[in-house]
Amino acid sequence: MTYPADPLVIADDAAISDDPGEKPPSAVVVRGRGSLVFRRFRKNKPALVALVVLVLLFIAAFIGPFVYKAVTGWTYSDQDYSAFLSPPTGSHWFGTSQIGQDVFAQTMRGLQKSLIIGLLVALISTGLAAVVGACAGYFGGWVDRALMWGVDLLLVIPSFLIVAIISPAFQDAGWIVLVFLIAVFAWMITARIIRGMTLSLKEREFVLAARYSGVSPAGIIFRHLIPNMSSLLIIDATIAVASAIIAETGLSYFGFGVQPPDVSLGNLIASGTRSAFTFPWLFMFSGGLLVATTLAVSVIGDALRDALDPASSRAGSTK
Amino acid sequence: MGRFLLKRLVNYLVLVVVATTLAYIVASLALNPRSAYEGRNPPPPAAVVDQQLTAYGVNDKDPLLGRYADWIGGVLLHGDFGKTVTGGDINDQLGSRAMVSLRLLVLGSIIGAVVGVLAGVVSAIKKYQVTDRLITVYAFFFIATPVFFTAVLLKYGALSVNQAAGSTVLYYTGYETPNLQAGFFGHLADQIGHLILPTLSIALGQIAFFSRYQRNAMLDVMNSDFLRTAEAKGLTRRRALYKHGLRTALIPMATLLAYSFGTLAVGATFTEKIFGWHGMGEWLVDSITSNDINVVATVTLFTAVFILISGFLADVIYAVLDPRVRV
């Protein structure tokens, strides 16, 4: 009941629900959108597994290094001069690299970096897409034309190439520049979809009512239009996390992304590729964790799409 | 239909020009060709370096627009793509590298699109059955897996296959065996042998991508009224699906096809680098590292033209499938 104005609130007859004994048969349970979405998501077993995996990955990436340091004493920047290219052992869980770096500590550090970059890129690009798309759709006219021209231009630019060329120039500024560079090229298609949705939403009564009662355009866009497109934005942000992580690791793989001495999964995979056959622990752990992350994120995104889509028949109806 | 295609063609040509111009300008601003001379011992006199760079058309002291005009003029009027930063002729390498990349890109996109669409259709028709679930698991896995991981896993697999077979069944380095004396068919077989794994590394991801979208498009169509009508007038389910359903469900795929070539080209870069193919993608990565502006612009132009041709093809498919654009 948190969103009473939501058209998707569904009346659910308690008499035919799973546990009819709990409520008087005459009562009609009105499920809010939030609980409905939650119920649908909860029914999706792969999504729950993916959620657990993702939470574990986050814990491993952010708390893991401290635990590991306490247990074995290694951090990602240390070198063990007594163990070069050692296979996984008790003191080096994922083995060591050519110069004695601890692969577990490095992988966790890389995972942490990749997760932060993925989340930040998703946040920035989805926010940008929402604002630009809603402005273009709401104002129309030359604002629309100018913004959409910008969108088309950015779609045409070979983004991988441009980021690859520019990002080494900002090496000193660190990975935050990389976040902005990836985000700048990641929002255009969503912005187009948002614009289309805005075009139809802005003729609806609640928007007209807000406008005639004197709400400013900014108020309408941020308080009425964007909240009404939140399902799409949530889904899109999830997908953006996965693609941003892949983009970041791809760039780092070629040495155009996160720069040493800092590590990301891309760097680790790149340095492990050369010896993937002879010393598989250099490659398999970072690669496997990367795939686990992106896989978990995209399964969750798909489940959210099913749960948030009012027309979805999957994951049961309203139950 | 002619007017529609003409409009699209003009649109793509503008895009090629914009993309190439931007790549040239960004590359000129961000890359520093001077670094090629900095590490030399004894250091060359500044005047000599300037003269060399001017001769190659990459001197940052010359006006940028003038350099760009010279380069694009050479490309358009004489088919001359200029010099590399070390003075080599770009045209010498362009032909062989383009052929290497095209083999990969064309095969990868055709296999990816065709198999992907088929898998998507099967997946939609067998919704929630074992086949569908298998295809879905496959698709999720390969959409989430970057090309550089798939490629190395394939190499790993090839190595085990070769060890099990006791001879080299699957090649994973380069695009042909150097100095092979085997006649025409021997060469052909050799090149095909080298092609399998790199093509797979690209195609697996493309198939996954297309099958997901095709599945959704097909599911939308399968619930539509016109299919029920087609069945009501006496067509069998199968016939109605393939004759009316698939055709409609393919229309959004044509647009998707045009969008997917960008990702494909980037993916091919990883494949080329990992499998040691001396193609355009590898050239691009190397040229960024060696601050080679002309090569960056040339590779961008190549990619843009590839996207133009394939995007245009996608539009032709679109026009054939959807009678509304033919008016």
Side-chain angles (χ1 to χ4, degrees), chain A residues 153 156-157 161 165 253-254 276-277 283 287 290-291 294-295 314, chain B residues 15 18 22 30 128 140 144 146 148-149 152 155-156 270 274 284 300:
Chain A
L153 187 71
V156 174
I157 298 175
L161 174 83
I165 296 176
Y253 184 87
F254 283 138
F277 301 151
F283 174 78
L290 171 65
V291 174
T294 47
L295 193 60
R314 194 152 136 198
Chain B
L15 296 188
V18 171
L22 263 167
Y128 299 146
F140 266 103
F148 51 86
F149 193 65
V152 177
K155 260 176 120 166
Y156 206 78
F270 294 103
I274 289 169
L284 176 71
T300 315

PDB file of all heavy atoms in Angstrom, chain A residues 153 156-157 161 165 253-254 276-277 283 287 290-291 294-295 314, chain B residues 15 18 22 30 128 140 144 146 148-149 152 155-156 270 274 284 300:
ATOM      1  N   LEU A 153      24.931  10.983 -32.105  1.00  0.00           N
ATOM      2  CA  LEU A 153      26.363  11.185 -32.302  1.00  0.00           C
ATOM      3  C   LEU A 153      27.163  10.222 -31.423  1.00  0.00           C
ATOM      4  O   LEU A 153      28.075   9.544 -31.886  1.00  0.00           O
ATOM      5  CB  LEU A 153      26.720  12.625 -31.960  1.00  0.00           C
ATOM      6  CG  LEU A 153      28.154  13.007 -32.278  1.00  0.00           C
ATOM      7  CD1 LEU A 153      28.330  13.088 -33.783  1.00  0.00           C
ATOM      8  CD2 LEU A 153      28.518  14.317 -31.631  1.00  0.00           C
ATOM      9  N   VAL A 156      27.227   6.723 -32.607  1.00  0.00           N
ATOM     10  CA  VAL A 156      28.038   6.469 -33.795  1.00  0.00           C
ATOM     11  C   VAL A 156      29.511   6.339 -33.437  1.00  0.00           C
ATOM     12  O   VAL A 156      30.238   5.536 -33.999  1.00  0.00           O
ATOM     13  CB  VAL A 156      27.857   7.629 -34.785  1.00  0.00           C
ATOM     14  CG1 VAL A 156      28.786   7.457 -35.948  1.00  0.00           C
ATOM     15  CG2 VAL A 156      26.438   7.697 -35.243  1.00  0.00           C
ATOM     16  N   ILE A 157      29.953   7.155 -32.467  1.00  0.00           N
ATOM     17  CA  ILE A 157      31.373   7.175 -32.126  1.00  0.00           C
ATOM     18  C   ILE A 157      31.809   5.784 -31.675  1.00  0.00           C
ATOM     19  O   ILE A 157      31.137   5.158 -30.866  1.00  0.00           O
ATOM     20  CB  ILE A 157      31.631   8.177 -30.991  1.00  0.00           C
ATOM     21  CG1 ILE A 157      31.252   9.564 -31.460  1.00  0.00           C
ATOM     22  CG2 ILE A 157      33.075   8.154 -30.571  1.00  0.00           C
ATOM     23  CD1 ILE A 157      31.368  10.595 -30.382  1.00  0.00           C
ATOM     24  N   LEU A 161      37.129   2.481 -28.835  1.00  0.00           N
ATOM     25  CA  LEU A 161      38.320   3.126 -29.375  1.00  0.00           C
ATOM     26  C   LEU A 161      38.602   4.436 -28.665  1.00  0.00           C
ATOM     27  O   LEU A 161      39.726   4.705 -28.231  1.00  0.00           O
ATOM     28  CB  LEU A 161      38.090   3.369 -30.866  1.00  0.00           C
ATOM     29  CG  LEU A 161      39.153   4.168 -31.583  1.00  0.00           C
ATOM     30  CD1 LEU A 161      40.269   3.250 -31.952  1.00  0.00           C
ATOM     31  CD2 LEU A 161      38.593   4.820 -32.806  1.00  0.00           C
ATOM     32  N   ILE A 165      41.768   5.355 -26.324  1.00  0.00           N
ATOM     33  CA  ILE A 165      42.758   6.388 -26.640  1.00  0.00           C
ATOM     34  C   ILE A 165      42.867   7.392 -25.499  1.00  0.00           C
ATOM     35  O   ILE A 165      43.958   7.794 -25.108  1.00  0.00           O
ATOM     36  CB  ILE A 165      42.378   7.129 -27.945  1.00  0.00           C
ATOM     37  CG1 ILE A 165      42.420   6.166 -29.120  1.00  0.00           C
ATOM     38  CG2 ILE A 165      43.328   8.276 -28.198  1.00  0.00           C
ATOM     39  CD1 ILE A 165      41.967   6.783 -30.406  1.00  0.00           C
ATOM     40  N   TYR A 253      42.134  -5.222 -19.877  1.00  0.00           N
ATOM     41  CA  TYR A 253      42.806  -6.356 -20.503  1.00  0.00           C
ATOM     42  C   TYR A 253      43.877  -5.868 -21.471  1.00  0.00           C
ATOM     43  O   TYR A 253      44.967  -6.420 -21.548  1.00  0.00           O
ATOM     44  CB  TYR A 253      41.773  -7.212 -21.238  1.00  0.00           C
ATOM     45  CG  TYR A 253      42.328  -8.469 -21.843  1.00  0.00           C
ATOM     46  CD1 TYR A 253      42.406  -9.632 -21.095  1.00  0.00           C
ATOM     47  CD2 TYR A 253      42.777  -8.498 -23.145  1.00  0.00           C
ATOM     48  CE1 TYR A 253      42.917 -10.787 -21.628  1.00  0.00           C
ATOM     49  CE2 TYR A 253      43.290  -9.650 -23.697  1.00  0.00           C
ATOM     50  CZ  TYR A 253      43.359 -10.793 -22.931  1.00  0.00           C
ATOM     51  OH  TYR A 253      43.876 -11.930 -23.468  1.00  0.00           O
ATOM     52  N   PHE A 254      43.556  -4.824 -22.227  1.00  0.00           N
ATOM     53  CA  PHE A 254      44.518  -4.290 -23.190  1.00  0.00           C
ATOM     54  C   PHE A 254      45.438  -3.252 -22.564  1.00  0.00           C
ATOM     55  O   PHE A 254      46.257  -2.655 -23.258  1.00  0.00           O
ATOM     56  CB  PHE A 254      43.791  -3.657 -24.369  1.00  0.00           C
ATOM     57  CG  PHE A 254      43.250  -4.658 -25.332  1.00  0.00           C
ATOM     58  CD1 PHE A 254      41.990  -4.504 -25.877  1.00  0.00           C
ATOM     59  CD2 PHE A 254      43.999  -5.758 -25.711  1.00  0.00           C
ATOM     60  CE1 PHE A 254      41.493  -5.420 -26.767  1.00  0.00           C
ATOM     61  CE2 PHE A 254      43.504  -6.682 -26.605  1.00  0.00           C
ATOM     62  CZ  PHE A 254      42.249  -6.512 -27.136  1.00  0.00           C
ATOM     63  N   ALA A 276      48.003 -19.281 -19.061  1.00  0.00           N
ATOM     64  CA  ALA A 276      46.761 -19.940 -18.660  1.00  0.00           C
ATOM     65  C   ALA A 276      46.875 -21.461 -18.712  1.00  0.00           C
ATOM     66  O   ALA A 276      46.175 -22.163 -17.990  1.00  0.00           O
ATOM     67  CB  ALA A 276      45.624 -19.483 -19.555  1.00  0.00           C
ATOM     68  N   PHE A 277      47.756 -21.975 -19.564  1.00  0.00           N
ATOM     69  CA  PHE A 277      47.854 -23.432 -19.707  1.00  0.00           C
ATOM     70  C   PHE A 277      48.787 -24.025 -18.671  1.00  0.00           C
ATOM     71  O   PHE A 277      48.541 -25.082 -18.117  1.00  0.00           O
ATOM     72  CB  PHE A 277      48.361 -23.809 -21.099  1.00  0.00           C
ATOM     73  CG  PHE A 277      47.495 -23.298 -22.194  1.00  0.00           C
ATOM     74  CD1 PHE A 277      48.018 -22.998 -23.439  1.00  0.00           C
ATOM     75  CD2 PHE A 277      46.134 -23.106 -21.983  1.00  0.00           C
ATOM     76  CE1 PHE A 277      47.204 -22.518 -24.439  1.00  0.00           C
ATOM     77  CE2 PHE A 277      45.324 -22.632 -22.975  1.00  0.00           C
ATOM     78  CZ  PHE A 277      45.859 -22.333 -24.211  1.00  0.00           C
ATOM     79  N   PHE A 283      44.895 -17.550 -14.043  1.00  0.00           N
ATOM     80  CA  PHE A 283      43.865 -17.111 -14.978  1.00  0.00           C
ATOM     81  C   PHE A 283      42.470 -17.512 -14.530  1.00  0.00           C
ATOM     82  O   PHE A 283      41.532 -16.725 -14.588  1.00  0.00           O
ATOM     83  CB  PHE A 283      44.172 -17.725 -16.346  1.00  0.00           C
ATOM     84  CG  PHE A 283      43.126 -17.488 -17.382  1.00  0.00           C
ATOM     85  CD1 PHE A 283      43.041 -16.264 -18.016  1.00  0.00           C
ATOM     86  CD2 PHE A 283      42.224 -18.485 -17.717  1.00  0.00           C
ATOM     87  CE1 PHE A 283      42.075 -16.030 -18.961  1.00  0.00           C
ATOM     88  CE2 PHE A 283      41.259 -18.256 -18.661  1.00  0.00           C
ATOM     89  CZ  PHE A 283      41.182 -17.029 -19.287  1.00  0.00           C
ATOM     90  N   GLY A 287      39.173 -15.080 -13.915  1.00  0.00           N
ATOM     91  CA  GLY A 287      38.196 -15.243 -14.988  1.00  0.00           C
ATOM     92  C   GLY A 287      36.887 -15.812 -14.470  1.00  0.00           C
ATOM     93  O   GLY A 287      35.809 -15.329 -14.800  1.00  0.00           O
ATOM     94  N   LEU A 290      34.936 -13.272 -12.513  1.00  0.00           N
ATOM     95  CA  LEU A 290      34.346 -12.280 -13.419  1.00  0.00           C
ATOM     96  C   LEU A 290      33.051 -12.823 -14.017  1.00  0.00           C
ATOM     97  O   LEU A 290      32.014 -12.153 -14.011  1.00  0.00           O
ATOM     98  CB  LEU A 290      35.336 -11.938 -14.532  1.00  0.00           C
ATOM     99  CG  LEU A 290      34.789 -11.086 -15.665  1.00  0.00           C
ATOM    100  CD1 LEU A 290      34.405  -9.719 -15.148  1.00  0.00           C
ATOM    101  CD2 LEU A 290      35.800 -10.947 -16.775  1.00  0.00           C
ATOM    102  N   VAL A 291      33.120 -14.063 -14.531  1.00  0.00           N
ATOM    103  CA  VAL A 291      31.931 -14.652 -15.138  1.00  0.00           C
ATOM    104  C   VAL A 291      30.830 -14.823 -14.091  1.00  0.00           C
ATOM    105  O   VAL A 291      29.656 -14.524 -14.345  1.00  0.00           O
ATOM    106  CB  VAL A 291      32.272 -15.986 -15.820  1.00  0.00           C
ATOM    107  CG1 VAL A 291      31.021 -16.668 -16.318  1.00  0.00           C
ATOM    108  CG2 VAL A 291      33.214 -15.756 -16.966  1.00  0.00           C
ATOM    109  N   THR A 294      29.170 -11.294 -13.535  1.00  0.00           N
ATOM    110  CA  THR A 294      28.305 -10.800 -14.600  1.00  0.00           C
ATOM    111  C   THR A 294      27.096 -11.716 -14.775  1.00  0.00           C
ATOM    112  O   THR A 294      25.989 -11.242 -15.017  1.00  0.00           O
ATOM    113  CB  THR A 294      29.073 -10.701 -15.927  1.00  0.00           C
ATOM    114  OG1 THR A 294      29.809 -11.901 -16.121  1.00  0.00           O
ATOM    115  CG2 THR A 294      30.020  -9.543 -15.916  1.00  0.00           C
ATOM    116  N   LEU A 295      27.321 -13.034 -14.594  1.00  0.00           N
ATOM    117  CA  LEU A 295      26.206 -13.968 -14.730  1.00  0.00           C
ATOM    118  C   LEU A 295      25.156 -13.695 -13.656  1.00  0.00           C
ATOM    119  O   LEU A 295      23.955 -13.592 -13.949  1.00  0.00           O
ATOM    120  CB  LEU A 295      26.743 -15.391 -14.624  1.00  0.00           C
ATOM    121  CG  LEU A 295      25.798 -16.515 -15.037  1.00  0.00           C
ATOM    122  CD1 LEU A 295      25.405 -16.339 -16.480  1.00  0.00           C
ATOM    123  CD2 LEU A 295      26.472 -17.864 -14.860  1.00  0.00           C
ATOM    124  N   ARG A 314       5.046 -15.059 -16.274  1.00  0.00           N
ATOM    125  CA  ARG A 314       5.990 -15.957 -15.649  1.00  0.00           C
ATOM    126  C   ARG A 314       5.984 -15.706 -14.132  1.00  0.00           C
ATOM    127  O   ARG A 314       5.507 -14.693 -13.659  1.00  0.00           O
ATOM    128  CB  ARG A 314       7.375 -15.678 -16.206  1.00  0.00           C
ATOM    129  CG  ARG A 314       8.338 -16.760 -15.869  1.00  0.00           C
ATOM    130  CD  ARG A 314       9.396 -16.813 -16.931  1.00  0.00           C
ATOM    131  NE  ARG A 314      10.704 -16.948 -16.312  1.00  0.00           N
ATOM    132  CZ  ARG A 314      11.815 -16.673 -16.953  1.00  0.00           C
ATOM    133  NH1 ARG A 314      11.769 -16.200 -18.158  1.00  0.00           N
ATOM    134  NH2 ARG A 314      12.962 -16.842 -16.369  1.00  0.00           N
TER     135      ARG A 314
ATOM    136  N   LEU B  15      27.523   9.029 -41.118  1.00  0.00           N
ATOM    137  CA  LEU B  15      28.053   8.437 -39.886  1.00  0.00           C
ATOM    138  C   LEU B  15      29.515   8.019 -40.048  1.00  0.00           C
ATOM    139  O   LEU B  15      30.331   8.221 -39.149  1.00  0.00           O
ATOM    140  CB  LEU B  15      27.217   7.222 -39.483  1.00  0.00           C
ATOM    141  CG  LEU B  15      25.771   7.520 -39.119  1.00  0.00           C
ATOM    142  CD1 LEU B  15      25.092   6.287 -38.563  1.00  0.00           C
ATOM    143  CD2 LEU B  15      25.684   8.653 -38.125  1.00  0.00           C
ATOM    144  N   VAL B  18      31.618  11.117 -39.866  1.00  0.00           N
ATOM    145  CA  VAL B  18      31.687  11.638 -38.491  1.00  0.00           C
ATOM    146  C   VAL B  18      32.606  10.773 -37.632  1.00  0.00           C
ATOM    147  O   VAL B  18      33.486  11.284 -36.930  1.00  0.00           O
ATOM    148  CB  VAL B  18      30.273  11.696 -37.872  1.00  0.00           C
ATOM    149  CG1 VAL B  18      30.366  12.011 -36.388  1.00  0.00           C
ATOM    150  CG2 VAL B  18      29.436  12.733 -38.574  1.00  0.00           C
ATOM    151  N   LEU B  22      36.093  12.111 -36.045  1.00  0.00           N
ATOM    152  CA  LEU B  22      36.241  12.173 -34.591  1.00  0.00           C
ATOM    153  C   LEU B  22      37.416  11.341 -34.122  1.00  0.00           C
ATOM    154  O   LEU B  22      38.201  11.785 -33.281  1.00  0.00           O
ATOM    155  CB  LEU B  22      34.966  11.669 -33.936  1.00  0.00           C
ATOM    156  CG  LEU B  22      34.033  12.788 -33.543  1.00  0.00           C
ATOM    157  CD1 LEU B  22      32.673  12.227 -33.202  1.00  0.00           C
ATOM    158  CD2 LEU B  22      34.608  13.534 -32.354  1.00  0.00           C
ATOM    159  N   ALA B  30      45.152  13.092 -28.252  1.00  0.00           N
ATOM    160  CA  ALA B  30      45.537  12.286 -27.093  1.00  0.00           C
ATOM    161  C   ALA B  30      46.865  11.552 -27.300  1.00  0.00           C
ATOM    162  O   ALA B  30      47.575  11.305 -26.341  1.00  0.00           O
ATOM    163  CB  ALA B  30      44.442  11.283 -26.763  1.00  0.00           C
ATOM    164  N   TYR B 128       9.755 -23.314 -21.947  1.00  0.00           N
ATOM    165  CA  TYR B 128       9.831 -23.967 -20.642  1.00  0.00           C
ATOM    166  C   TYR B 128      10.064 -25.466 -20.717  1.00  0.00           C
ATOM    167  O   TYR B 128       9.942 -26.163 -19.728  1.00  0.00           O
ATOM    168  CB  TYR B 128       8.585 -23.692 -19.786  1.00  0.00           C
ATOM    169  CG  TYR B 128       8.394 -22.240 -19.498  1.00  0.00           C
ATOM    170  CD1 TYR B 128       7.126 -21.692 -19.405  1.00  0.00           C
ATOM    171  CD2 TYR B 128       9.494 -21.407 -19.324  1.00  0.00           C
ATOM    172  CE1 TYR B 128       6.957 -20.346 -19.154  1.00  0.00           C
ATOM    173  CE2 TYR B 128       9.332 -20.064 -19.074  1.00  0.00           C
ATOM    174  CZ  TYR B 128       8.070 -19.540 -18.986  1.00  0.00           C
ATOM    175  OH  TYR B 128       7.904 -18.208 -18.738  1.00  0.00           O
ATOM    176  N   PHE B 140      22.576 -17.274 -21.245  1.00  0.00           N
ATOM    177  CA  PHE B 140      22.975 -16.463 -20.095  1.00  0.00           C
ATOM    178  C   PHE B 140      24.467 -16.563 -19.865  1.00  0.00           C
ATOM    179  O   PHE B 140      25.139 -15.569 -19.601  1.00  0.00           O
ATOM    180  CB  PHE B 140      22.215 -16.913 -18.846  1.00  0.00           C
ATOM    181  CG  PHE B 140      20.984 -16.105 -18.630  1.00  0.00           C
ATOM    182  CD1 PHE B 140      19.742 -16.601 -18.950  1.00  0.00           C
ATOM    183  CD2 PHE B 140      21.095 -14.821 -18.128  1.00  0.00           C
ATOM    184  CE1 PHE B 140      18.616 -15.838 -18.774  1.00  0.00           C
ATOM    185  CE2 PHE B 140      19.974 -14.046 -17.937  1.00  0.00           C
ATOM    186  CZ  PHE B 140      18.725 -14.555 -18.263  1.00  0.00           C
ATOM    187  N   ALA B 144      27.155 -13.373 -20.435  1.00  0.00           N
ATOM    188  CA  ALA B 144      27.898 -12.872 -19.279  1.00  0.00           C
ATOM    189  C   ALA B 144      29.399 -13.051 -19.439  1.00  0.00           C
ATOM    190  O   ALA B 144      30.169 -12.450 -18.703  1.00  0.00           O
ATOM    191  CB  ALA B 144      27.427 -13.586 -18.014  1.00  0.00           C
ATOM    192  N   PRO B 146      32.920 -12.536 -21.186  1.00  0.00           N
ATOM    193  CA  PRO B 146      33.576 -11.726 -22.206  1.00  0.00           C
ATOM    194  C   PRO B 146      34.373 -12.592 -23.178  1.00  0.00           C
ATOM    195  O   PRO B 146      34.771 -13.706 -22.827  1.00  0.00           O
ATOM    196  CB  PRO B 146      34.507 -10.817 -21.400  1.00  0.00           C
ATOM    197  CG  PRO B 146      34.478 -11.278 -20.015  1.00  0.00           C
ATOM    198  CD  PRO B 146      33.465 -12.340 -19.850  1.00  0.00           C
ATOM    199  N   PHE B 148      37.348 -12.463 -24.200  1.00  0.00           N
ATOM    200  CA  PHE B 148      38.715 -12.869 -23.863  1.00  0.00           C
ATOM    201  C   PHE B 148      38.751 -14.060 -22.926  1.00  0.00           C
ATOM    202  O   PHE B 148      39.764 -14.744 -22.837  1.00  0.00           O
ATOM    203  CB  PHE B 148      39.552 -11.700 -23.322  1.00  0.00           C
ATOM    204  CG  PHE B 148      38.925 -10.917 -22.206  1.00  0.00           C
ATOM    205  CD1 PHE B 148      39.060 -11.320 -20.904  1.00  0.00           C
ATOM    206  CD2 PHE B 148      38.212  -9.766 -22.488  1.00  0.00           C
ATOM    207  CE1 PHE B 148      38.505 -10.579 -19.884  1.00  0.00           C
ATOM    208  CE2 PHE B 148      37.652  -9.024 -21.463  1.00  0.00           C
ATOM    209  CZ  PHE B 148      37.789  -9.437 -20.153  1.00  0.00           C
ATOM    210  N   PHE B 149      37.658 -14.308 -22.225  1.00  0.00           N
ATOM    211  CA  PHE B 149      37.613 -15.513 -21.395  1.00  0.00           C
ATOM    212  C   PHE B 149      37.226 -16.723 -22.243  1.00  0.00           C
ATOM    213  O   PHE B 149      37.873 -17.769 -22.174  1.00  0.00           O
ATOM    214  CB  PHE B 149      36.623 -15.311 -20.244  1.00  0.00           C
ATOM    215  CG  PHE B 149      36.717 -16.354 -19.171  1.00  0.00           C
ATOM    216  CD1 PHE B 149      37.852 -16.479 -18.406  1.00  0.00           C
ATOM    217  CD2 PHE B 149      35.660 -17.221 -18.930  1.00  0.00           C
ATOM    218  CE1 PHE B 149      37.942 -17.433 -17.418  1.00  0.00           C
ATOM    219  CE2 PHE B 149      35.739 -18.181 -17.949  1.00  0.00           C
ATOM    220  CZ  PHE B 149      36.888 -18.287 -17.190  1.00  0.00           C
ATOM    221  N   VAL B 152      40.174 -17.938 -24.407  1.00  0.00           N
ATOM    222  CA  VAL B 152      41.222 -18.699 -23.720  1.00  0.00           C
ATOM    223  C   VAL B 152      40.710 -20.085 -23.334  1.00  0.00           C
ATOM    224  O   VAL B 152      41.437 -21.074 -23.442  1.00  0.00           O
ATOM    225  CB  VAL B 152      41.736 -17.921 -22.495  1.00  0.00           C
ATOM    226  CG1 VAL B 152      42.771 -18.729 -21.748  1.00  0.00           C
ATOM    227  CG2 VAL B 152      42.331 -16.608 -22.928  1.00  0.00           C
ATOM    228  N   LYS B 155      40.946 -22.193 -26.328  1.00  0.00           N
ATOM    229  CA  LYS B 155      42.335 -22.587 -26.552  1.00  0.00           C
ATOM    230  C   LYS B 155      42.700 -23.759 -25.641  1.00  0.00           C
ATOM    231  O   LYS B 155      43.338 -24.716 -26.057  1.00  0.00           O
ATOM    232  CB  LYS B 155      43.255 -21.405 -26.227  1.00  0.00           C
ATOM    233  CG  LYS B 155      43.735 -20.644 -27.431  1.00  0.00           C
ATOM    234  CD  LYS B 155      44.542 -19.449 -26.984  1.00  0.00           C
ATOM    235  CE  LYS B 155      45.946 -19.487 -27.497  1.00  0.00           C
ATOM    236  NZ  LYS B 155      46.626 -18.184 -27.344  1.00  0.00           N
ATOM    237  N   TYR B 156      42.264 -23.632 -24.394  1.00  0.00           N
ATOM    238  CA  TYR B 156      42.515 -24.661 -23.399  1.00  0.00           C
ATOM    239  C   TYR B 156      41.904 -25.987 -23.846  1.00  0.00           C
ATOM    240  O   TYR B 156      42.552 -27.034 -23.817  1.00  0.00           O
ATOM    241  CB  TYR B 156      41.885 -24.222 -22.079  1.00  0.00           C
ATOM    242  CG  TYR B 156      42.514 -24.801 -20.862  1.00  0.00           C
ATOM    243  CD1 TYR B 156      43.716 -24.301 -20.378  1.00  0.00           C
ATOM    244  CD2 TYR B 156      41.898 -25.828 -20.172  1.00  0.00           C
ATOM    245  CE1 TYR B 156      44.297 -24.816 -19.246  1.00  0.00           C
ATOM    246  CE2 TYR B 156      42.474 -26.354 -19.031  1.00  0.00           C
ATOM    247  CZ  TYR B 156      43.677 -25.849 -18.578  1.00  0.00           C
ATOM    248  OH  TYR B 156      44.248 -26.368 -17.455  1.00  0.00           O
ATOM    249  N   PHE B 270      39.723  -8.719 -29.418  1.00  0.00           N
ATOM    250  CA  PHE B 270      40.248  -9.652 -28.418  1.00  0.00           C
ATOM    251  C   PHE B 270      40.657 -10.957 -29.084  1.00  0.00           C
ATOM    252  O   PHE B 270      41.719 -11.503 -28.821  1.00  0.00           O
ATOM    253  CB  PHE B 270      39.196  -9.949 -27.351  1.00  0.00           C
ATOM    254  CG  PHE B 270      38.852  -8.760 -26.507  1.00  0.00           C
ATOM    255  CD1 PHE B 270      37.687  -8.069 -26.709  1.00  0.00           C
ATOM    256  CD2 PHE B 270      39.715  -8.346 -25.516  1.00  0.00           C
ATOM    257  CE1 PHE B 270      37.377  -6.973 -25.933  1.00  0.00           C
ATOM    258  CE2 PHE B 270      39.412  -7.258 -24.731  1.00  0.00           C
ATOM    259  CZ  PHE B 270      38.235  -6.566 -24.945  1.00  0.00           C
ATOM    260  N   ILE B 274      44.307 -12.664 -29.004  1.00  0.00           N
ATOM    261  CA  ILE B 274      44.549 -13.908 -28.268  1.00  0.00           C
ATOM    262  C   ILE B 274      45.026 -15.021 -29.191  1.00  0.00           C
ATOM    263  O   ILE B 274      45.910 -15.789 -28.855  1.00  0.00           O
ATOM    264  CB  ILE B 274      43.280 -14.316 -27.498  1.00  0.00           C
ATOM    265  CG1 ILE B 274      43.070 -13.350 -26.341  1.00  0.00           C
ATOM    266  CG2 ILE B 274      43.388 -15.739 -26.971  1.00  0.00           C
ATOM    267  CD1 ILE B 274      41.745 -13.467 -25.680  1.00  0.00           C
ATOM    268  N   LEU B 284      44.973  -2.058 -34.292  1.00  0.00           N
ATOM    269  CA  LEU B 284      44.441  -0.915 -33.557  1.00  0.00           C
ATOM    270  C   LEU B 284      45.058  -0.836 -32.165  1.00  0.00           C
ATOM    271  O   LEU B 284      45.561   0.213 -31.753  1.00  0.00           O
ATOM    272  CB  LEU B 284      42.923  -1.033 -33.456  1.00  0.00           C
ATOM    273  CG  LEU B 284      42.259   0.054 -32.636  1.00  0.00           C
ATOM    274  CD1 LEU B 284      42.309   1.369 -33.365  1.00  0.00           C
ATOM    275  CD2 LEU B 284      40.834  -0.299 -32.313  1.00  0.00           C
ATOM    276  N   THR B 300      39.681   2.788 -37.829  1.00  0.00           N
ATOM    277  CA  THR B 300      38.332   3.287 -37.573  1.00  0.00           C
ATOM    278  C   THR B 300      37.536   3.365 -38.868  1.00  0.00           C
ATOM    279  O   THR B 300      36.370   2.966 -38.918  1.00  0.00           O
ATOM    280  CB  THR B 300      38.379   4.693 -36.951  1.00  0.00           C
ATOM    281  OG1 THR B 300      39.356   4.695 -35.950  1.00  0.00           O
ATOM    282  CG2 THR B 300      37.042   5.056 -36.376  1.00  0.00           C
TER     283      THR B 300
END
